[in-house]
Amino acid sequence: MGKEFADFFDISLLGGIIVKATTLEPREGNRYPRMAETASGMLNAVGLQNKGLEYFMNTIYPELQAINTHIIANVAGSTVESYVKVAERINELEHIRAIELNISCPNVKQGGDWPSGPHVNLHLK
């Protein structure tokens, strides 16, 4: 979520950080193994593992408020409605400067498939 780097350098020197994806409900992610080293680096298929929106708002966000840089929240979901619910709630948080929609994660079932349905107008700060 970004705060882990504080042991290594002053995070406020960064222009901003994008935190790990948050979904409405907790997600276990993909089964292990889900990382592999290659000659060119690392490949991963974590599968958007996270503890859900309530955990983010009650546990992660209070810690992020102390970081003096721009915080960008990454929002993921499985339906348009779930994206909207998470984005609306995160948009209420003062220290979040932007929201990134995770709509093309190849590491989940149907990762590249954007849920079909009505267009949604979401007015964020």
Side-chain angles (χ1 to χ4, degrees), residues 91-103:
N91 190 52
E92 297 170 2
L93 304 175
E94 184 178 340
H95 196 63
I96 303 296
R97 298 294 179 240
I99 294 174
E100 173 186 53
L101 296 180
N102 191 329
I103 60 172

Side-chain angles (χ1 to χ4, degrees), residues 39-59:
S40 301
M42 299 290 291
L43 292 175
N44 78 72
V46 175
L48 301 175
Q49 175 183 349
N50 74 97
K51 294 184 179 182
L53 177 62
E54 293 305 318
Y55 182 85
F56 176 84
M57 294 187 72
N58 297 323
T59 305

Side-chain angles (χ1 to χ4, degrees), residues 95-116:
H95 196 63
I96 303 296
R97 298 294 179 240
I99 294 174
E100 173 186 53
L101 296 180
N102 191 329
I103 60 172
S104 63
C105 183
N107 298 328
V108 295
K109 233 185 246 185
Q110 302 170 355
D113 297 339
W114 175 249
S116 62

Side-chain angles (χ1 to χ4, degrees), residues 72-83:
I72 300 166
N74 183 292
V75 170
S78 55
T79 65
V80 171
E81 294 76 21
S82 66
Y83 278 90

